[in-house]
DNA sequence: GACGATACGGAACGCGCGCCCCGGTTGTCT
DNA sequence: AGACAACCGGGGCGCGCGTTCCGTATCGTC
């Protein structure tokens, strides 16, 4: 359990790898070759694998932070806005962030097929679920959807926004339309 | 321009390849290896390439038919139902078909990034566009979306349905929700 | 039946990528 | 400074897949 102290160069390289990985994953998502990350970090591929057992592990290490920050955002919104607005704003924010960060996009879309509800991966969904429940209790969101549906909706929103942006259309419209759809039917 | 008549075995093999490709693409989409198609057709990989210059060309040959049939369906719906219903039914039908056919799914989702508006690929979108325009004229669909948006919406619907079905949820709910969102705002 | 054209099959190639290995280097501790 | 462990780099392996090549089999024709 005790973290053995790393040698100075090892610690420096680890940081460089994380930094390069963040930039690379952010720009190209999981699709970026690991060698490319190593190159950008000024490091050999072997070095990357000494610090992270797998490409996926590196990816998770990078995404961990984003997820945590998003969960904090959700918390903040829940405390400062009315339930419907908080839910609305958070979904829009997640989509917006994902458009700027392919890593986030990939992480959100593959999230939870084989459900891994632990750690930060779980936190963001817990937070999102809390916002959803509150909005539903407030009558701002239709009652017949649950967190599972919400994941599908989020993936759908990402898909739609991606398509729309490739055509140079104004951003956020599709997300607004989808959010419209989540209101209780009149 | 004149089609040179194929040898008998060549014609037979071509048919077998198309048949196997239809089954394989339908089940696994573009992800199926070409060798697998050749194997299922009882044919060597070289034979496939003699009839189709590229895996993608084979894929298009297979999808051609589905697209044509869907375009016909659109036409039929346009003639037998009121505009709003026709539009609604067609979108639902396309999603439903795509859930049964990964090839259709792949074809619809990659459709039109580098727009290739010719042939059957174009026909289906023309037909869909006509349904959309009619529904909008009738006040059944909000006026501020166009064919380009519609493609995004369709991709989104496919994404959502896929997610939802992986969780064993009832089919079509997400599509209904999305269609709800396309109604004129009250 | 024989012969040229045509088509066949599947081994082989090129490529990209995740991951591992090992000879050399660098940091740390005495 | 010397010695030992820790760490580094990048070449190489294995794999999957799209595509090509060529020796061989089959078809159509006279």
């Amino acid at each position: 359990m005790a973290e053995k102290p790393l040698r100075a160069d090892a610690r420096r390289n680890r940081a460089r790898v994380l930094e390069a990985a963040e930039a690379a994953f952010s720009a190209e998502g999981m699709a970026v070759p690991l060698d490319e990350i190593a190159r950008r970090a000024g490091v050999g591929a072997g070095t990357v694998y000494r610090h992270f057992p797998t490409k996926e592990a590196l990816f998770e290490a990078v995404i961990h932070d984003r997820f945590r920050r998003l969960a904090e955002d959700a918390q903040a919104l829940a405390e400062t806005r009315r339930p419907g607005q908080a839910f609305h704003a958070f979904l829009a924010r997640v989509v917006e962030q994902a458009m700027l960060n392919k890593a986030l996009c990939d992480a959100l879309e593959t999230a939870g097929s084989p459900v891994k509800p632990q750690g930060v991966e779980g936190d963001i969904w817990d937070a999102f679920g809390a916002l959803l429940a509150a909005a539903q209790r407030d009558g701002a969101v239709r009652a017949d959807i649950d967190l599972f549906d919400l994941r599908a909706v989020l993936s759908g929103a990402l898909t739609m926004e991606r398509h729309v942006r490739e055509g140079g259309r104004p951003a956020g419209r599709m997300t607004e339309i989808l959010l419209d759809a989540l209101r209780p039917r009149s």
Side-chain angles (χ1 to χ4, degrees), chain A:
Chain A
M1 227 48 239
E3 291 285 327
K4 197 184 290 184
L6 289 172
R7 238 168 60 173
D9 55 345
R11 193 165 44 248
R12 193 178 58 236
N13 280 331
R14 190 178 198 281
R16 281 187 188 170
V17 167
L18 270 173
E19 196 174 354
E22 175 144 3
F25 281 139
S26 178
E28 307 185 43
M30 257 294 209
V32 65
L34 197 135
D35 294 18
E36 171 69 14
I37 296 177
R39 205 182 53 73
R40 287 203 211 183
V43 140
T47 300
V48 177
Y49 281 99
R50 202 161 310 100
H51 291 295
F52 304 93
T54 244
K55 185 188 180 184
E56 202 184 355
L58 174 57
F59 183 80
E60 282 172 15
V62 165
I63 218 65
H64 189 276
D65 225 39
R66 297 266 171 186
F67 269 16
R68 193 181 42 71
R69 256 177 291 167
L70 283 175
E72 286 173 9
D73 287 356
Q75 187 64 26
L77 287 169
E79 290 168 2
T80 62
R81 303 220 201 169
R82 295 176 45 216
Q85 282 185 7
F87 175 77
H88 184 294
F90 185 62
L91 198 152
R93 174 183 216 84
V94 171
V95 171
E96 184 190 336
Q97 289 298 307
M99 288 300 108
L100 302 172
N101 188 331
K102 282 198 180 175
L104 195 51
C105 225
D106 287 350
L108 290 170
E109 297 200 51
T110 67
S113 286
V115 193
K116 40 179 172 182
Q118 24 190 348
V120 178
E121 168 86 10
D123 286 359
I124 190 176
W125 294 117
D126 288 349
F128 213 160
L131 286 178
L132 171 64
Q136 285 173 321
R137 238 178 285 120
D138 203 46
V141 169
R142 52 195 291 172
D144 64 343
I145 71 169
D146 59 16
L147 186 53
F148 188 89
D149 297 327
L150 186 55
R151 286 212 271 245
V153 168
L154 180 55
S155 289
L158 294 178
T159 301
M160 291 165 77
E161 284 291 336
R162 213 174 12 236
H163 272 243
V164 150
R165 309 228 175 173
E166 281 170 9
R169 300 305 180 83
R173 262 182 71 229
M174 286 296 151
T175 305
E176 288 302 321
I177 289 179
L178 243 191
L179 278 164
D180 239 52
L182 295 183
R183 280 204 259 271
R185 52 176 116 247
S186 47

